[in-house]
């Protein structure tokens, strides 16, 4: 879930969350009144009432939602002071706090983040400690002085959120014409790019911040105004929070849903009516009629376009488990005895920036039981293939098409695709890495005049681009990923100033392999083409070139530190049998690699991906020095020679010569182009 989605669902969650954290009473005329919850009076409720309300909400949490809160507590409650300052830098810069006050603010943040889960266990000790902590009180007083206001207290924040001129009041006025079903859809279908929802919330906050100069204006609004803290500062801080603490958004949604369950006094329709399938009559509600689909029409491809519902700028696929199981059965029946089967869910053309595809636990378990290896989701030319065997809970894939500037602001390289943001939740919790890579197939665009061999999938990491490679096939590029982020395709032109001596036979190959992110320079614009290659370096080159990265891979070599830059690549290479150690305990990462060893590693890597590739036993006869190839390496060199992955020079292979960086680039280039 992105931060904007968090903001949208917080429309309903903010009252409960703040009450849990700071002991604030709920507004007696808040959203509860809109939902038909009776209130005894307009007076502030007692602390006992607050506890009762909070406990009622927390009683509605599911186990998955409770785990979401716990995950947030563990992550947010332990961030460092440096991370805290980086997240909230736009606002902290305007506050200009002293070091001691920064430390107090950091502690307050981590304490508040932890309390939300503490309340689940009915532990209110921390609430009182936060509200009455002398350092917290003094910090607010000093901020008040900086802003030129008389005083600033926790009650002022209560008024800002829940008072007659607060955020909740403005939101309440803006949604007063919406039905209960509409409001449920607002929570359940909140989108990271839903302009309607974001406009609603932003407009409410803007109105409240404008209550700063009129008589009876809000103290918090006055502080923000006087310190020149802009909406842009707040938005950037919240974006930083989302980027740094991914567990925050699922926690907020969990609280919002629990709030709705606790205080809505009528049955909730959780499945929005697709266009044209309502029951007729006025008002929201009624029984949802699921569109009829034919899951067995084309074994292997299930047309689910009729099951896509669009609310605002977000599309959600509403699958029927029983129909998906029928599609599984049709696929298996059409491919008797085969393994590694993939069922494709075809959503067709979807006119929404964000597409959410939930796959229930029943679907995941049935796929595994029936021998379905992958479920592919395709729409608008984009395909995401998910190996389902690694999961045992419900999963949800969310894909958003975001602004090109997400990437173009970071690089002058030409963009050759849209920019996509991918997210996967498992059991309701955002998952950042996968045991088995998920394959993304991105549609290309605006490629006229571009060098297609230099096209590479780029990953956005902390406002930098990391080039991942990818295989271009027609109008698409395919790349397996062991973690999600924002991705796009660029023409990655890389040049080095010291390759003239090898330009004739390795220049192009070096440029292409570098464009794919599989090989790097040595600094200062140099490639050092004639330098020798170490075992560790070649392991990285090969794993990156063939898209075999997998963070879950393990290795047990005593001379490979888990923190070494090459450790994850050695782990994958060893796990797949591409490379062996000098012994069971020694890898010898700094040792140079010979041409025969390099050819053997290439052969093993290619065979792991293409087991049917052939070897000609006579292929070594072309080399007059074939007798110098070690017996343990002959099969690998023969395979590489059979498939023109290695060629030799003047009738010789020179098997025991150390391989150079230029030679490594050439053999890797041939490997990535091997069909």
């Amino acid at each position: 879930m992105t931060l904007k989605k968090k903001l949208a669902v917080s429309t309903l969650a903010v009252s409960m969350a703040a009450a849990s954290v700071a002991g604030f009473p709920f507004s007696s005329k808040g959203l509860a009144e809109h939902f038909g919850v009776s209130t005894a009076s307009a007076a502030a409720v007692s602390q006992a009432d607050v506890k009762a309300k909070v406990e009622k909400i927390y009683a509605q949490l599911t186990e998955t939602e409770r785990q979401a809160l716990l995950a947030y507590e563990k992550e947010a409650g332990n961030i460092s002071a440096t991370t805290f300052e980086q997240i909230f830098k736009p606002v902290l810069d305007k506050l200009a706090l002293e070091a001691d006050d920064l430390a107090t603010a950091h502690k307050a943040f981590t304490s508040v983040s932890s309390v939300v889960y503490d309340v689940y266990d009915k532990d209110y000790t921390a609430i009182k400690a936060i509200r009455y902590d002398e350092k917290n009180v003094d910090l607010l007083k000093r901020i008040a002085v900086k802003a030129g206001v008389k005083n600033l207290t926790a009650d002022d924040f209560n008024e800002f959120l829940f008072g007659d001129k607060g955020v909740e009041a403005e939101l309440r006025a803006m949604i007063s014409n919406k039905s209960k079903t509409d409001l449920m859809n607002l929570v359940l279908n909140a989108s990271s790019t839903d302009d309607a929802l974001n406009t609603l919330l932003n407009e409410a906050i803007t109105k409240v911040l404008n209550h700063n100069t009129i008589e009876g204006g809000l103290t918090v609004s006055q502080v923000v105004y006087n310190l020149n803290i802009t909406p842009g500062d707040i938005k950037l801080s919240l974006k930083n929070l989302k980027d740094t603490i991914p567990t925050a958004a699922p926690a907020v949604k969990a609280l919002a849903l629990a709030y709705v369950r606790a205080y809505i006094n009528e049955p909730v329709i959780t499945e929005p009516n697709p266009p044209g399938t309502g029951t007729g009559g006025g008002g929201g509600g009624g029984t949802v009629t699921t569109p009829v689909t034919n899951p067995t029409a084309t074994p292997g491809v299930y047309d689910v376009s009729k099951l896509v519902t669009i609310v605002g700028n977000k599309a959600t696929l509403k699958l029927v488990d029983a129909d998906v199981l029928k599609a599984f059965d049709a696929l298996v029946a059409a491919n008797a005895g085969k393994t590694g089967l993939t069922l494709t869910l075809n959503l067709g053309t979807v006119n929404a920036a964000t597409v959410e595809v939930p796959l229930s636990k029943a679907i995941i378990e049935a796929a595994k039981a029936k021998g379905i290896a992958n479920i592919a989701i395709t729409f608008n030319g984009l395909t995401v293939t998910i190996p389902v065997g690694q999961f045992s809970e419900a999963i949800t894939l969310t894909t958003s098409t975001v602004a090109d500037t997400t990437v173009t602001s970071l690089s002058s390289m030409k963009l050759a695709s849209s920019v996509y943001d991918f997210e996967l939740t498992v059991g309701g919790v955002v998952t950042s890495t996968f045991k088995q890579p998920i394959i993304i197939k991105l549609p290309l665009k605006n490629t006229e005049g571009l060098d297609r061999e230099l096209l590479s999938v780029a990953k956005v990491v902390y406002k930098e681009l990391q080039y991942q490679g990818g295989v271009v096939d027609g109008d698409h590029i395919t790349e397996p990923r062991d973690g999600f982020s924002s991705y796009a395709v660029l023409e990655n032109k890389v040049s080095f100033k010291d390759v003239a001596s090898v330009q004739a036979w390795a220049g192009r190959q070096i440029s292409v392999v570098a464009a794919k992110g599989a090989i790097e320079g040595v600094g200062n614009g140099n490639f050092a083409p004639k330098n020798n290659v170490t075992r560790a370096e070649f392991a990285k080159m090969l794993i990156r070139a063939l898209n075999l990265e997998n963070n879950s891979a393990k290795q047990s070599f005593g001379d490979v530190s888990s923190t070494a830059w090459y450790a994850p690549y050695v782990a994958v290479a060893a796990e797949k049998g591409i490379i062996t150690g000098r012994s069971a305990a020694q890898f010898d990462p700094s040792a140079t690699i010979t041409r025969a060893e390099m050819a053997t590693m290439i052969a093993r890597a290619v065979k792991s991906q293409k087991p049917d590739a052939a070897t000609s036993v006579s292929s070594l006869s072309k080399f007059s020095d074939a007798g110098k190839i070690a017996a343990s390496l002959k099969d690998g060199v023969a395979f590489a020679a059979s498939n023109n992955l290695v060629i030799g020079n003047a009738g010789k292979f020179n098997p025991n010569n150390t391989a150079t960086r230029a030679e490594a680039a050439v053999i890797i280039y041939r490997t990535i182009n091997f069909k």
Side-chain angles (χ1 to χ4, degrees):
M1 185 192 301
T2 66
L3 183 64
K4 290 183 179 179
K5 184 170 182 179
K6 172 186 171 183
L7 289 175
V9 300
S10 67
T11 299
L12 293 175
V14 67
S15 300
M16 182 276 305
S20 300
V21 169
F24 294 154
F26 287 100
S27 165
S28 61
K29 294 183 179 180
L31 287 175
E33 179 181 81
H34 182 78
F35 287 143
V37 179
S38 62
T39 54
S41 69
V45 294
S46 67
Q47 291 300 312
D49 290 333
V50 171
K51 289 183 181 181
K53 289 174 182 287
V54 170
E55 289 175 3
K56 180 176 180 179
I57 292 166
Y58 274 72
Q60 297 298 319
L61 290 167
T62 66
E63 178 60 20
T64 297
E65 290 163 354
R66 186 182 71 82
Q67 290 297 326
L69 295 187
L70 182 59
Y72 173 76
E73 176 191 33
K74 290 180 177 179
E75 185 172 23
N78 289 287
I79 67 167
S80 67
T82 299
T83 301
F84 167 76
E85 292 174 26
Q86 290 172 343
I87 291 172
F88 296 103
K89 186 178 187 300
V91 172
L92 292 174
D93 283 351
K94 300 293 179 64
L95 291 175
L97 301 177
E98 298 293 336
D100 288 345
D101 284 341
L102 276 174
T104 298
H106 167 240
K107 182 179 179 182
F109 173 81
T110 56
S111 298
V112 166
S113 299
S114 298
V115 163
V116 173
Y117 185 79
D118 292 344
V119 174
Y120 179 84
D121 285 337
K122 300 183 180 180
D123 180 2
Y124 298 91
T125 305
I127 292 178
K128 184 176 180 180
I130 294 169
R131 182 165 184 169
Y132 298 108
D133 183 277
E134 290 184 1
K135 290 184 177 181
N136 291 344
V137 173
D138 290 341
L139 172 60
L140 293 181
K141 288 180 179 179
R142 281 190 283 275
I143 293 175
V145 171
K146 287 176 179 288
V149 300
K150 184 177 180 180
N151 201 5
L152 180 63
T153 68
D155 290 332
D156 292 320
F157 286 94
N158 180 29
E159 187 70 13
F160 178 82
L161 291 171
F162 312 121
D164 292 338
K165 298 175 183 177
V167 175
E168 184 194 15
E170 292 291 354
L171 283 169
R172 189 169 66 249
M174 295 167 69
I175 65 175
S176 60
N177 63 340
K178 296 182 181 293
S179 69
K180 296 179 181 179
T181 299
D182 289 337
L183 291 173
M184 274 303 300
N185 287 340
L186 182 142
V187 177
L188 293 170
N189 298 308
S191 166
S192 60
T193 54
D194 190 331
D195 291 336
L197 295 178
N198 291 315
T199 299
L200 181 73
L201 186 61
N202 289 337
E203 184 179 346
I205 293 175
T206 300
K207 285 184 177 181
V208 175
L209 289 176
N210 286 336
H211 297 323
N212 54 66
T213 57
I214 60 174
E215 182 178 354
L218 300 177
T219 302
V220 172
S221 297
Q222 186 69 57
V223 169
V224 170
Y225 178 82
N226 290 355
L227 292 176
N228 195 32
I229 298 173
T230 68
D233 295 330
I234 296 172
K235 287 181 180 179
L236 182 54
S237 294
L238 292 175
K239 181 181 184 300
N240 293 342
L241 180 68
K242 173 256 181 181
D243 291 342
T244 309
I245 307 179
T247 55
V252 170
K253 185 173 184 180
L255 293 174
L257 293 175
Y259 181 93
V260 173
R261 295 189 198 105
Y263 284 103
I264 290 184
N265 294 328
E266 68 177 19
V268 175
I269 298 175
T270 59
E271 300 281 341
N273 288 349
T277 62
T279 57
T287 303
V288 175
T289 302
T290 302
V292 176
T293 62
N294 186 351
T296 63
T298 306
V301 180
Y302 180 15
D303 181 354
V304 294
S305 56
K306 293 181 180 179
L307 303 179
V308 177
T309 299
I310 299 178
V311 178
N313 209 15
K314 174 187 176 182
T316 303
L317 178 62
K318 303 291 184 179
L319 291 169
V320 177
D321 289 0
D323 286 342
V324 177
L325 268 57
K326 291 177 183 177
F328 287 158
D329 290 338
L331 173 60
V332 172
N335 294 273
K338 294 183 179 180
T339 59
L341 300 178
T342 298
L343 175 68
T344 298
L345 303 177
N346 184 6
L347 283 65
T349 300
V350 180
N351 295 313
T354 294
V355 179
E356 184 178 81
V357 179
L359 301 175
S360 70
K361 182 176 181 179
I363 290 175
I364 298 298
E365 293 301 328
K368 293 191 291 185
K370 295 175 183 292
I372 307 296
N374 310 293
I375 295 178
I377 295 112
T378 186
F379 59 91
N380 300 347
L382 169 74
T383 302
V384 180
T385 302
I386 304 173
V388 295
Q390 61 191 306
F391 304 116
S392 56
E393 298 288 342
I395 64 175
T396 298
L397 172 71
T398 303
T399 304
S400 298
T401 305
V402 299
D404 288 355
T405 52
T406 305
V407 167
T408 56
S409 63
L410 305 178
S411 172
S412 60
M413 300 295 181
K414 293 181 180 179
L415 189 63
S417 75
S418 296
V419 183
Y420 300 97
D421 184 76
F422 296 96
E423 179 184 276
L424 189 78
T425 62
V426 180
V429 179
V430 176
T431 300
S432 57
T433 58
F434 321 124
K435 293 180 180 179
Q436 293 176 270
I438 291 177
I439 299 172
I440 57 174
K441 184 177 182 181
L442 308 181
L444 301 173
K445 68 177 186 180
N446 302 327
T447 58
E448 185 176 352
L450 301 187
D451 188 331
R452 292 173 67 86
E453 272 202 309
L454 302 183
L455 296 181
S456 180
V457 175
K459 176 182 179 181
V460 180
V461 181
Y462 298 117
K463 296 186 178 180
E464 292 185 357
L465 297 181
Q466 291 183 357
Y467 289 93
Q468 308 295 319
V471 178
V472 176
D473 183 10
D475 293 329
H476 294 82
I477 188 169
T478 301
E479 169 72 5
R481 299 306 311 143
D482 60 354
F484 272 166
S485 179
S486 295
Y487 292 93
V489 182
L490 293 93
E491 181 191 36
N492 186 23
K493 290 186 174 181
V494 183
S495 61
F496 301 102
K497 59 188 181 183
D498 63 341
V499 296
S501 63
V502 298
Q503 183 65 39
W505 59 274
R508 174 64 177 179
Q509 292 87 336
I510 291 171
S511 295
V512 173
V513 176
K516 298 293 186 180
I519 198 167
E520 300 168 345
V522 296
N524 196 31
N526 293 319
F527 182 72
K530 296 183 179 180
N531 282 10
N532 294 331
V533 179
T534 67
R535 285 165 56 81
E537 287 173 334
F538 194 69
K540 177 181 178 179
M541 294 176 191
L542 189 53
I543 297 305
R544 289 289 298 271
L546 296 182
N547 300 309
L548 296 174
E549 293 161 289
N550 185 353
N551 285 326
S552 66
K554 305 296 181 184
Q555 56 81 27
S556 58
F557 297 115
D559 58 350
V560 177
S561 168
S562 61
T563 59
W565 61 265
Y566 49 81
Y569 307 105
V570 171
V572 175
E575 186 174 89
K576 291 185 171 294
I578 294 170
I579 195 168
T580 58
R582 300 298 194 193
S583 67
Q586 183 186 27
F587 178 70
D588 202 6
S590 299
T592 56
I593 190 170
T594 67
R595 286 172 49 81
E597 288 174 328
M598 186 170 64
T600 298
M601 287 178 63
I602 286 289
R604 292 169 180 163
V606 171
K607 286 180 178 180
S608 73
Q609 294 188 313
K610 304 180 186 300
D612 294 332
T615 301
S616 171
V617 293
S618 63
S619 61
L620 294 182
S621 61
K622 70 175 84 172
F623 303 128
S624 62
D625 57 353
K628 296 180 180 180
I629 302 173
S632 62
L633 303 178
K634 281 191 173 182
D635 286 345
V637 175
F639 177 88
S642 298
N643 293 284
N644 293 318
L645 299 176
V646 295
I647 297 174
N649 183 25
K652 292 185 177 182
F653 180 62
N654 301 312
N656 300 314
N657 287 5
T658 53
T660 67
R661 285 170 54 82
E663 289 173 331
V666 170
I667 195 171
I668 286 178
Y669 174 83
R670 292 173 183 154
T671 301
I672 62 179
N673 286 285
F674 179 74
K675 304 298 183 183

